Amino acid sequence: MSTAATSGAQATLLDPQKKRRKVSPYWITAALFPAILLVWFVVTQLEVLHPILLPGPEAVLTSIPRVLGSETFGIHASRTLIETLAGFALGAAVGFLLGLLLGSSSVLRAAYLPALSALEAVPTVIIAPLIIAWFGFGIEGKAVQAAIACFYAVFITTLSGLSLANANSVSLMQSLGASKLQTLLKLRVPSALPVIFGGLQLGATTAIIGAIVSEFVGADAGLGFLLLRYRSSYDTPAAWVLILCFLVIGVSAYLLISFAEKRIVFWRSTAVSRPDLEKNDH
Amino acid sequence: MTSTAADVRSRGKELRKQSKSTTQSVIVGTVTLVVFLALWEILPTLGVLNRVLIPTVSDTIWGLGQLIIGGYWWEDLASTLSSVLIAWTIGVAFGITMGVVLGTSPFVRTAITPYAIALQALPKIVLAPVLIGALGFGPESKIAIAVAICFFPVWINTMVGLSLPSAAEFTFMRSLNATRVQLFRKLQMPSAVPIVLVGMKHAMLLSFTGVLVAEILSSASNGLGKLVKEFSIQLNMPLTLAVITVVLTIAVSLVSIMDVLERKAVFWSESERGKKS
């Protein structure tokens, strides 16, 4: 009886707020997409820009089967995917290991961090021509460029994540006779994982950018190479289809890493606090 | 979730503050540097590495001297620098405007978050060929590409920063009869400025990246990116490395200037940051 009364009271308390928030913001989200398409369509119908420069949405949509169905599309797409994945794996592995190394020794940290953190400011695309000269037009050069592009994000998040472990937990581990390696593997790395995944997410995007830029500079295959070819033959709708492909690749990488994070760091919501995420909503 | 980029960017500085250099670390750092330079000098000289592709340290320093004495590239330097700064200014102004317009109300913010995530995941550099096709090989296309890339972190950081105050802080301000404008000026803006500045710093790097990519892609324009590409095609590696050194120096200086400005501008955020980390 009393519980029913309180829940009823709660319902009336919550009610006014519910009424105010009747429209879900996601309706707007859904409505925005056709609105964008409509604006795009109207702008191209008015011919503000020449159709060669800005094709209409209908031209891009009808080009999708032509571009995706062409014989060589699979070769180009798989080439770019392999380059990105290999580069991401290489860059993330090096970044993670270097982060572990510097995270476990304060001497190395003080010695190398100033030089390494200058990498934060460096536009890595500038060495793309150099990498091409060293490695040629093949997969290797693109993978190296992608690795260089994504290394820093993973390195710096690993290093800063390792310092997040609770000081009490560290002394508990030590008092139970855990070795330095055990403390690292069982306590500090797990508590760093949420932050590292943030770095991986950023690193995935930058790895894709590294691979594409390297293909722009010089390549014999790949989606970036294909994009330049469509551009130079003024097949702009096809170029826009490829841009949509890159959007799909970017979003899939983002979602895959979010999914992996949820599976691997399943304890995050209870054990590790992420003030940067939790403070986002009010 | 969208704050990760800013998050990653701000971590380096915090870590640098924490680690103090001791004599031991100075020795380790110096020894590493000396060994690295010695290997770089000796391996190409002995022929272990191809000296045409990987010139020695002395070759590179000689190339740098040649480049500076030559003086034919001041125009390229001026073109790159002015494009970077113009694009950065436009991108920051655009990003802050978008962030304030779309980020002040939580309702609008929730509605557009999926689009923001999709835009963030799009490697925006792919727009470069299309923009060069539309705007030509001049500075316009460089600036347009750089703006398209660099406005994003400013926009996202402005939105995130405006949402940082807690619900209790909003309720408290409202209970004191604060108007919408007062809420914005006295509560949301002070909490947003530090994180917006981090975004502006990130935008500087991205603006530089965008301009360089445009210069490398469109061979008709001038600029440091074009210079690197031409020297590397000629396999003139000492000069290639010299130009790369110049670019790295400029990039690090620009970001250091941003660091100093950040510290000067947001004197109140030091305590805030202490709470967060």
Side-chain angles (χ1 to χ4, degrees):
Chain A
M1 178 70 185
S2 66
T3 51
T6 42
S7 66
Q10 258 172 5
T12 46
L13 266 177
L14 286 174
D15 220 5
Q17 211 165 9
K18 256 187 197 164
K19 247 178 207 163
R20 204 152 53 87
R21 279 286 160 87
K22 215 170 192 177
V23 188
S24 160
Y26 292 108
W27 283 112
I28 311 251
T29 310
L32 262 177
F33 184 64
I36 292 169
L37 281 184
L38 189 71
V39 170
W40 184 6
F41 184 73
V42 170
V43 166
T44 50
Q45 284 308 104
L46 293 175
E47 300 227 352
V48 181
L49 285 166
H50 196 277
I52 284 182
L53 300 181
L54 184 69
E58 76 290 345
V60 175
L61 281 178
T62 48
S63 299
I64 289 177
R66 179 166 62 91
V67 174
L68 299 190
S70 77
E71 278 170 43
T72 51
F73 180 79
I75 300 170
H76 291 300
S78 57
R79 178 72 176 269
T80 298
L81 283 181
I82 291 170
E83 288 161 4
T84 310
L85 283 178
F88 179 62
L90 181 67
V94 173
F96 179 68
L97 290 178
L98 206 61
L100 280 189
L101 189 69
L102 261 64
S104 45
S105 151
S106 61
V107 174
L108 289 183
R109 194 158 57 233
Y112 296 142
L113 195 59
L116 281 171
S117 60
L119 286 179
E120 177 195 340
V122 170
T124 51
V125 292
I126 192 63
I127 58 163
L130 192 67
I131 298 280
I132 300 277
W134 283 348
F135 293 92
F137 294 134
I139 293 181
E140 308 88 345
K142 317 289 178 265
V144 169
Q145 181 76 40
I148 291 171
C150 75
F151 150 82
Y152 179 78
V154 181
F155 161 69
I156 204 73
T157 45
T158 307
L159 189 54
S160 76
L162 287 178
S163 63
L164 285 184
N166 188 328
N168 284 335
S169 317
V170 175
S171 34
L172 175 66
M173 292 281 283
Q174 276 164 353
S175 72
L176 291 171
S179 67
K180 253 194 151 177
L181 185 69
Q182 279 174 320
T183 319
L184 185 68
L185 290 182
K186 307 219 161 163
L187 175 65
R188 295 176 68 197
V189 170
S191 55
L193 275 180
V195 182
I196 295 175
F197 269 103
L200 287 176
Q201 222 148 29
L202 183 65
T205 323
T206 50
I208 299 172
I209 293 174
I212 298 169
V213 167
S214 193
E215 283 180 3
F216 281 171
V217 177
D220 47 17
L223 289 179
F225 167 80
L226 198 61
L227 180 62
L228 282 190
R229 218 172 58 185
Y230 280 132
R231 201 276 313 251
S232 46
S233 56
Y234 287 101
D235 192 351
T236 325
W240 278 99
V241 172
L242 287 184
I243 291 175
L244 289 182
C245 285
F246 281 116
L247 181 65
V248 171
I249 293 174
V251 172
S252 332
Y254 178 91
L255 291 179
L256 266 178
I257 293 175
S258 304
F259 178 72
E261 184 184 4
K262 267 187 202 121
R263 295 302 293 268
I264 296 171
V265 200
F266 53 87
W267 65 83
R268 190 184 81 188
S269 51
T270 53
V272 183
S273 68
R274 283 203 55 187
D276 50 345
L277 293 186
E278 280 156 18
K279 277 184 98 179
N280 272 359
D281 33 52
H282 52 98
Chain B
M1 199 55 108
T2 42
S3 71
T4 43
D7 207 36
V8 170
R9 296 287 151 188
S10 58
R11 276 178 204 283
K13 205 166 62 181
E14 275 166 35
L15 282 168
R16 245 173 301 159
K17 259 185 236 152
Q18 286 163 14
S19 55
K20 290 196 186 83
S21 57
T22 57
T23 42
Q24 217 182 348
S25 67
V26 171
I27 293 169
V28 172
T30 321
V31 167
T32 316
L33 187 67
V34 169
V35 169
F36 176 71
L37 289 179
L39 283 178
W40 186 4
E41 182 68 38
I42 291 166
L43 289 182
T45 317
L46 292 178
V48 183
L49 296 170
N50 187 339
R51 195 168 171 175
V52 174
L53 288 178
I54 305 175
T56 60
V57 183
S58 43
D59 289 345
T60 308
I61 293 172
W62 182 80
L64 195 59
Q66 208 189 14
L67 187 75
I68 291 170
I69 293 167
Y72 46 84
W73 54 289
W74 297 118
E75 208 182 313
D76 296 308
L77 178 70
S79 156
T80 301
L81 265 185
S82 60
S83 306
V84 168
L85 293 178
I86 293 171
W88 181 77
T89 314
I90 300 174
V92 165
F94 186 52
I96 291 180
T97 315
M98 287 265 287
V100 171
V101 170
L102 297 172
T104 312
S105 128
F107 182 79
V108 181
R109 197 163 53 232
T110 320
I112 62 156
T113 295
Y115 291 99
I117 289 178
L119 258 184
Q120 185 179 34
L122 172 74
K124 284 164 284 295
I125 209 86
V126 296
L127 297 173
V130 176
L131 285 173
I132 291 175
L135 297 171
F137 295 131
E140 298 88 354
S141 64
K142 278 197 244 184
I143 294 173
I145 292 164
V147 169
I149 298 174
C150 83
F151 89 95
F152 196 80
V154 182
W155 171 37
I156 292 298
N157 283 14
T158 310
M159 289 211 313
V160 171
L162 290 175
S163 75
L164 278 181
S166 67
E169 285 170 293
F170 276 97
T171 320
F172 179 63
M173 291 281 285
R174 278 207 200 94
S175 74
L176 294 172
N177 265 343
T179 61
R180 193 79 201 79
V181 177
Q182 280 175 322
L183 272 179
F184 180 78
R185 280 192 44 208
K186 309 244 152 126
L187 179 60
Q188 288 182 296
M189 214 164 75
S191 86
V193 170
I195 183 168
V196 172
L197 281 170
V198 174
M200 283 165 64
K201 199 169 68 177
H202 190 190
M204 184 64 92
L205 167 71
L206 291 178
S207 164
F208 212 151
T209 303
V211 169
L212 289 175
V213 169
E215 288 170 352
I216 290 173
L217 259 177
S218 65
S219 39
S221 73
N222 50 1
L224 294 176
K226 184 212 74 175
L227 219 53
V228 165
K229 195 189 177 189
E230 284 185 352
F231 284 143
S232 78
I233 287 174
Q234 297 162 4
L235 279 183
N236 192 341
M237 288 304 160
L239 282 182
T240 311
L241 284 176
V243 181
I244 290 177
T245 313
V246 170
V247 169
L248 297 194
T249 315
I250 297 173
V252 172
S253 337
L254 283 178
V255 171
S256 310
I257 293 172
M258 290 297 299
D259 266 341
V260 174
L261 288 183
E262 190 188 335
R263 230 172 301 139
K264 286 261 158 73
V266 284
F267 50 88
W268 69 86
S269 75
E270 232 28 65
S271 57
E272 188 66 28
R273 230 176 249 153
K275 256 191 278 166
K276 272 176 75 185
S277 56

